Amino acid sequence: MAIEIKSLEQLKSMRKAGLVVADTLKLIKESAQVGMTTVELDEMAATNLVKHGATSSFLGYHGFPAVICASVNEEVVHGIPNKRKLISGDLLSIDFGAIIDGWHGDAAISIGLGEVEAADQKLMDVCEESMWRGIAAGKNGAKLTDISEAIQRYIDSQGKYGILREYGGHGIGSAMHQEPHILNFGPAGNGPDLVAGMALAIEPMITRGSEKTKVLSDEWTVVSQDSSKGAHFEHSYAIAPDGKVFVLTAVDGGKAELGRLGVEISTLL
Ligand code: MG
């Protein structure tokens, strides 16, 4: 299937959805604390969607029962919110998607609750930075797997981490999950050319141990087989008509983080 190419107007709608995602994840990051449950965070996110006149990308997706994925500790991705109270030292990953005028935004963050182990903090930092390295590599004219290689190269340079094999990034636009699938590992130089009008969600998922995972009996929650803790960061970005990138789900469009990596963002969005 062809990769969906968006007009500037369509990317502007995606930016609106992206800002709802950014605002909601910020709200969750500021609100999440020891003693709360992930169901409470899900309700907060659902209320914020309504406030912005947006709908959920996740609720009802293949039957998913919530507006956020909430994955704690050895749960790496796709956790279902539940009523277990969060405790100090928990590592919580929240994935969230919003729709405005039929256009999707999708992003994820990992956060530590209470007293966070140094190794868990590093896991999160490595995961987040690998996402920025991936986006920075996904410039106009690059090959798709230039992103994959940049993500893996950074993670591998930071220590021994498991990079999930069965899950990866994806195209995004008039649907949450579109072509192409984007691996978080492997050599550069393969796959389609990246061109203006593409929008991609970049989402490294890593653990402190093995890359091997299994899905729990709830048919959603992905846990590490060795029970090592996982982290997950995600942003949706576009290549604007001027050939420059723009991070749709970052409030500043990625200006600060990509600027640090020597990548100038588009001013069209
Ligand atoms: Mg995604």
Side-chain angles (χ1 to χ4, degrees):
M1 217 176 74
I3 299 173
E4 185 177 76
I5 299 295
K6 288 80 166 167
S7 67
L8 181 59
E9 285 314 304
Q10 291 169 333
L11 289 176
K12 285 181 175 172
S13 292
M14 290 187 72
R15 172 58 167 165
K16 287 182 192 164
L19 284 172
V20 176
V21 173
D23 184 63
T24 307
L25 288 175
K26 178 170 174 272
L27 178 68
I28 288 177
K29 187 173 182 175
E30 289 168 355
S31 308
Q33 51 183 299
V34 171
M36 284 185 79
T37 72
T38 50
V39 161
E40 290 174 82
L41 297 174
D42 185 62
E43 286 166 356
M44 199 176 285
T47 301
N48 208 45
L49 277 172
V50 173
K51 183 182 133 190
H52 287 285
T55 55
S56 172
S57 302
F58 291 12
L59 183 65
Y61 180 83
H62 294 282
F64 191 77
V67 305
I68 60 170
C69 293
S71 309
V72 181
N73 296 333
E74 78 281 3
E75 301 169 353
V76 189
V77 287
H78 302 168
I80 299 173
N82 62 39
K83 290 184 173 171
R84 189 177 66 220
K85 282 185 164 48
L86 295 164
I87 61 170
S88 183
D90 274 349
L91 199 165
L92 171 66
S93 297
I94 301 285
D95 195 345
F96 179 73
I99 310 169
I100 294 266
D101 298 333
W103 295 93
H104 293 249
D106 184 11
I109 53 170
S110 292
I111 50 182
L113 281 299
E115 284 185 37
V116 181
E117 266 183 69
D120 286 346
Q121 187 58 54
K122 183 166 183 206
L123 175 79
M124 291 188 279
D125 293 345
V126 167
C127 188
E128 183 171 18
E129 179 64 10
S130 75
M131 172 193 68
W132 290 112
R133 300 290 175 114
I135 295 169
K139 295 189 290 254
N140 190 31
K143 290 282 190 185
L144 182 71
T145 70
D146 294 357
I147 297 171
S148 315
E149 193 267 350
I151 291 169
Q152 180 177 25
R153 180 156 40 87
Y154 180 76
I155 294 166
D156 287 350
S157 76
Q158 297 301 305
K160 205 177 163 331
Y161 295 99
I163 303 175
L164 269 55
R165 268 23 192 189
E166 298 97 327
Y167 306 91
H170 51 92
I172 181 167
S174 61
M176 175 169 59
H177 289 143
Q178 299 183 323
E179 294 289 313
H181 181 65
I182 307 167
L183 298 173
N184 291 315
F185 59 93
N190 297 319
D193 291 328
L194 302 180
V195 298
M198 286 183 180
L200 305 172
I202 305 303
E203 49 176 327
M205 293 155 250
I206 64 174
T207 77
R208 281 173 58 185
S210 167
E211 71 272 15
K212 292 202 170 65
T213 59
K214 63 183 177 188
V215 178
L216 296 184
S217 58
D218 64 17
E219 295 183 358
W220 281 103
T221 312
V222 175
V223 300
S224 60
Q225 281 188 16
D226 61 4
S227 295
S228 60
K229 286 180 181 170
H232 176 212
F233 279 85
E234 175 179 22
H235 267 310
S236 299
Y237 85 99
I239 303 177
D242 61 1
K244 292 178 185 160
V245 300
F246 189 89
V247 182
L248 300 161
T249 49
V251 172
D252 73 348
K255 190 171 196 291
E257 300 293 342
L258 292 175
R260 177 172 59 75
L261 298 173
V263 176
E264 198 185 331
I265 66 162
S266 176
T267 53
L268 297 177
L269 283 155

